[in-house]
Amino acid sequence: MNLQGRTLFITGASRGIGLAIAKRAAADGANIVVAAKTAEPNPKLPGTIYSAAEAIRAAGGQALPLQVDIREEEGVLAAVAQAVLTFGGIDILVNNASAIGLGDTEHTPMKRYDLMNGINARGTYLCTQAVLPELKKSAAAGRNAHVLNMSPPLSMKTHWFAPHTAYTMAKYGMSMCTLGHAGEFRPYGIAVNSLWPRTAIATAALQMIPGVDLGACRKPEILADAAYLILTSDAKDPNNTGNFHIDDTLLAAHGQTDLERYSVTPGTRQFVPDFFVD
C-alpha cells in the first residue's frame, strides 16, 4: 500500500515536520493541501506555503497552498471546500500545526495560553470535524482514511505539567482527540493515531527556544518516515487505530533500527530528549 493519488490535508506544512511528511507522501505521487499561516517570507522562520508547494511538486506530488489560520472556523471550512474542489476529496488529515510556550503559570500570559490551546487542542478538533465528512467518503470508497495527530502519549504525571502547565494541557488536548476520535470513528473505518518523537527535532521553530543544542537533535525526516508507516497501514485493522506511537519504536517494529541518517550530527549518541516520553 502506498499514497499514490491520495489527498492529504496537512496543517502547519510550510516548514519543518509538516513539510517533511508532505514530501515523503509526495514521493508516492500524493496530493498535498498545504494548510498553514505563512504566505510571506519571515527571516526568523524560513518557508511559506508557496515554497512548500514547490518542494512538494519537486518531490513528485501535487500541491495546493492555502493560507489558513486553524483557529478560524470559516477559514478551515473554506480550505476544506477548496481542497475537495481541487482534488475531489480528502483521504488523510495530519494535524501538525502547533504552538509552544514553556513558561510557568506566573509567566504565561493568557494571550499565549489562548494561542496554544486555540491552535493545538481546538485547532485539531476543528480540522478533524471539518474534514470528517470527506474522510467518511474516503473510507467508504476503500481509500484507507487516516487522521494523524502530532501529539504525545498521555502521561498524567506531575513532572510533565509542573514546568509548563498551559503547554502540556494544549498538547494533551490533541492527544485526547486521538483517544476519543479513534473510538468514535472506528465504525467508519477511519484510523486515528498520534505520533511523537523520542528526541528533539531540529526545526526552525526549535531554534527560537534558548539553550537547545540543535546538533544533538534528529532531523524531521525521522517523523516523516514514521508517519508514512502509519498512513499506509490498514485503517480498518483495529490494531492500527488509537495508538500513541514514538518514532524510533515504530521504525524498529518495522525493522528499521539504524537511525544514523536522521542525526543532525553524525555519530551522535546522546540526543536532546523530547517532552512527554517516560
Side-chain angles (χ1 to χ4, degrees), residues 15-16 44-46 201-209 214 220:
R15 62 177 67 91
K44 293 184 178 180
L45 287 173
I201 302 298
T203 63
L206 191 68
Q207 295 179 31
M208 300 179 71
I209 300 177
L214 291 181

Side-chain angles (χ1 to χ4, degrees), residues 5 8 30 33 78 95-97 135 140 147 165 223 233 246 250-252 261 263:
L8 289 74
V33 181
N95 285 306
N96 167 71
L135 295 178
V147 177
T165 298
L223 286 169
S233 67
I246 302 298
L250 178 61
L251 290 169
R261 66 185 180 277
S263 300

Side-chain angles (χ1 to χ4, degrees), residues 260-274:
E260 175 63 17
R261 66 185 180 277
Y262 302 120
S263 300
V264 171
T265 304
T268 300
R269 292 293 176 266
Q270 295 296 322
F271 292 94
V272 176
D274 206 347

